[in-house]
Amino acid sequence: MNSNISDNIKRIRDEVATLAVLSGRKPEDITLVAASKTRTADEVQQAILSGVDAVGENRVQEMLAKHTQYAYVGAPLHFIGTLQSNKVRQIVGVCDLIESVDSTALIELIGKKAMSLGIVQNILIEVNIGRESQKSGILPEALDDVFGLIAQTEGVFALGLMAIPPFCDEIERNCNYFDAMMKLFVDIKAKKYDNTAVRLLSMGMSDSYADAIRAGSNMIRIGSAIFGLR
Ligand SMILES: *Cc1c(COP(=O)(O)O)cnc(C)c1O
């Protein structure tokens, strides 16, 4: 057993609990996702045994390989990476939550595949909150159209929003992106689209989770702070 992994998770849990209470929530209201790209199945299992709430993977091939090694037994599996259309059929039904849905085409493909399996796939919509050309995600002004499509698409069910805001040294600016996401989240939740129950706001990584939680995040995706530097 790598005691670093469990020590790190304990420390993060304590900090998250404090931050949750300070922002008027309960510790268990914040979901801790271990971002496990490049980590071995064994490391992933150690994180699960140390009490993370879920595991998030970035690459379909890597995820499927670790899946066959029973890496994810004991925790829900999330997909958090860029998803290519031709990989959709390999992950629908395998992942409990696809966090990184960033196009209407993906919504339609996921719905179709889920219907063919007789299931409903839970998703989050990734928002390009920093309007960065090199990053994927739906632009904020397109969110209503996207949720309108979800409302009409059988086989998909949206639980909320996800974002990877621009890296920023200045805490002020970082918080502005998180605050902007919180606003979008509250707004889209209030609209109660069909095929949605908006309750998850996934934002915050190793270097930013405290700010993200302060702004209202209830799902953080942590890699290096759990497993060490990649
Ligand atoms: C790698 C990754 C994370 C975690 O990043 P760290 O800085 O290692 O905590 C979170 N979200 C996504 C989408 C990632 O790819």
Side-chain angles (χ1 to χ4, degrees):
M1 189 88 180
N2 180 337
S3 64
N4 284 341
I5 290 178
S6 59
D7 288 351
N8 290 341
I9 289 170
K10 250 185 230 131
R11 195 181 29 118
I12 293 165
R13 278 282 191 213
D14 285 348
E15 197 187 341
V16 166
T18 305
L19 289 159
V21 170
L22 283 173
S23 62
R25 291 173 289 169
K26 298 190 212 103
E28 62 268 28
D29 292 341
I30 316 273
T31 300
L32 173 58
V33 181
S36 57
K37 55 179 175 277
T38 77
R39 315 299 175 170
T40 65
D42 192 47
E43 289 173 295
V44 176
Q45 266 301 298
Q46 288 179 32
I48 292 171
L49 291 171
S50 305
V52 297
D53 299 303
V55 175
E57 286 287 356
N58 282 71
R59 291 177 181 280
V60 172
Q61 244 42 273
E62 181 185 339
M63 182 184 84
L64 295 175
K66 283 193 249 177
H67 197 30
T68 65
Q69 301 166 356
Y70 305 102
Y72 311 115
V73 172
L77 175 58
H78 296 187
F79 190 78
I80 63 176
T82 305
L83 181 56
Q84 292 164 295
S85 316
N86 61 356
K87 303 268 172 73
V88 165
R89 62 189 166 76
Q90 296 178 274
I91 74 163
V92 170
V94 175
C95 296
D96 299 279
L97 180 65
I98 304 175
E99 293 199 25
S100 42
V101 176
D102 62 2
S103 74
T104 53
L106 277 183
I107 291 166
E108 285 170 341
L109 285 168
I110 292 168
K112 250 187 216 154
K113 180 62 187 175
M115 289 294 286
S116 80
L117 295 173
I119 61 164
V120 174
Q121 177 67 57
N122 286 332
I123 64 170
L124 301 182
I125 296 301
E126 181 174 352
V127 180
N128 187 351
I129 194 66
R131 315 186 76 86
E132 296 169 283
S133 55
Q134 78 280 15
K135 264 194 202 157
S136 45
I138 304 283
L139 290 174
E141 61 272 23
L143 263 190
D144 275 305
D145 283 347
V146 166
F147 273 77
L149 174 69
I150 292 168
Q152 294 169 15
T153 307
E154 285 182 276
V156 295
F157 196 85
L159 295 178
L161 303 178
M162 180 269 220
I164 310 169
F167 177 78
C168 187
D169 280 331
E170 299 166 61
I171 291 197
E172 285 277 318
R173 274 193 59 208
N174 219 346
C175 284
N176 287 344
Y177 291 121
F178 291 142
D179 290 343
M181 279 302 298
M182 182 62 183
K183 268 199 178 139
L184 291 175
F185 174 72
V186 168
D187 179 60
I188 212 78
K189 184 189 176 106
K191 290 180 177 162
K192 297 188 189 299
Y193 285 97
D194 285 347
N195 296 331
T196 74
V198 173
R199 58 183 173 77
L200 298 177
L201 179 56
S202 175
M203 59 184 191
M205 318 203 311
S206 292
D207 59 1
S208 61
Y209 65 88
D211 290 330
I213 292 170
R214 283 188 201 103
S217 167
N218 57 20
M219 180 171 272
I220 54 175
R221 307 176 309 269
I222 311 289
S224 45
I226 290 177
F227 297 105
L229 291 175
R230 277 185 297 279

